[in-house]
Amino acid sequence: MDQTIADQLENLARANIGRNPIVANRLLDEIDRAVIATRSELPPDAITIGSEVTFRDNATGGMQTIILVMPTEADISTQRISVMTPVGAALIGIRKGETIWWQTPDGEVRELTVHDVVAP
């Protein structure tokens, strides 16, 4: 994760801790475990802001492609998903081939496997 992006994400999470504590804390956890690197040092398959990500919902088998963005750029109609959503916070920093678990707003735990990542 790029230092500038890490700082922006940390500020965003802290600003939203009262409104959306589950997602904010998940994002803070991801930042804590992240290896901070310059954008040029990031592996091309590491998910960051602006990455186009194709993943499979392992419960349904459905594939979805999204672009991970900051909240102000989110637009579900164009598949631009905010990093401040449960799935967005779960995806940040992981790589192609990895499987993650995330909790939906309904409390359901879902498993996703990342199939492709296109760097921003």
Side-chain angles (χ1 to χ4, degrees):
M1 183 178 306
D2 178 282
Q3 182 64 51
T4 303
I5 291 173
D7 291 342
Q8 290 173 343
L9 293 176
E10 183 173 359
N11 291 339
L12 180 65
R14 292 195 187 290
N16 283 279
I17 201 88
R19 277 179 282 186
N20 198 346
I22 292 171
V23 175
N25 282 316
R26 173 76 189 248
L27 190 54
L28 289 169
D29 288 346
E30 295 300 324
I31 294 165
D32 283 345
R33 74 168 185 79
V35 174
I36 307 299
T38 65
R39 189 160 304 253
S40 64
E41 294 172 327
L42 285 175
D45 65 344
I47 299 171
T48 188
I49 299 298
S51 293
E52 181 179 282
V53 182
T54 301
F55 59 85
R56 183 173 79 107
D57 180 326
N58 293 335
T60 66
M63 298 287 282
Q64 185 173 2
T65 300
I66 59 101
I67 298 173
L68 189 63
V69 297
M70 296 300 271
T72 57
E73 299 169 347
D75 180 358
I76 195 70
S77 69
T78 59
Q79 303 305 108
R80 298 174 72 78
I81 304 298
S82 170
V83 70
M84 281 303 299
T85 61
V87 71
L91 285 169
I92 192 83
I94 69 167
R95 297 174 71 179
K96 180 179 176 177
E98 292 186 328
T99 298
I100 58 163
W101 294 264
W102 62 284
Q103 189 173 25
T104 69
D106 301 358
E108 179 184 357
V109 176
R110 303 291 291 266
E111 181 183 81
L112 305 176
T113 299
V114 176
H115 281 260
D116 195 28
V117 177
V118 178

